[in-house]
Amino acid sequence: MLEVRDLAVHYGAIRALRGISFDVAEGEIITLIGSNGAGKTTTLHAISNIIRKTAGSVIFDGNDISAVLPDRIVTLGLIQVPEGRRIFANLSVKDNLEMGAYVRKDRPAIRSDMDMVYGLFPRLKERVRQVAGTLSGGEQQMLAMGRALMSKPRLLLLDEPSMGLAPILVDEIFLIIKRINEAGTTILLVEQNAFKALGIASRGYILETGQVIKSGPAKSLMKDDAVKEAYLGGQNDY
């Protein structure tokens, strides 16, 4: 579904991405793991064309989208949930969800998808008229994900969905990510919580200073001594 080839990004003289390549097959959860500054968020932004690439290509569903405008990329079904949620804080929960469907014209299907989002996130239904900026951090993350689902993604890019959340909410968010995938949405997950990410992913890529230094099946990466030492706190029992 997604092919990233030799992707490079510069911020002035800084080489943020140094020619990375990876792919995502339909139906998978693929995770990109790395420390702060490794290039994970930059990778997602380059795929979505929010930032300019220095080199490389992005192929989505067989089509080169390297130069396609971000709003057009949304209509193709490639949707990003940004780091930090970036909800519309002054709008209600319902208004935020409706904004996710702004490119759609199929009103009956929009209503159906709204019900689907409320089924995934019952707390959002309880707070449908509440101003989004007054929600808790976990509820705002749910809203950001729900807003993205209203765009009917074929491929969902998730950027640090567990950031700043209490452990019990982290567990809940990852269970919901699995449910979204099982319902048919392919997922590319950027996440610092390597243990949680590898626990639900089929494959993973380890980024370091803008390069892919290791990749493989998630279960294999969880057993890799170097990965455990660097990203899993040296834990040995999985």
Side-chain angles (χ1 to χ4, degrees), residues 94-106:
K94 184 173 184 290
D95 288 342
N96 268 268
L97 294 176
E98 288 180 342
M99 286 296 288
Y102 82 100
V103 297
R104 297 174 57 185
K105 307 296 182 186
D106 48 340

Side-chain angles (χ1 to χ4, degrees), residues 24 44 47 150 215:
V24 181
L44 296 191
I47 291 169
M150 291 300 296
S215 64

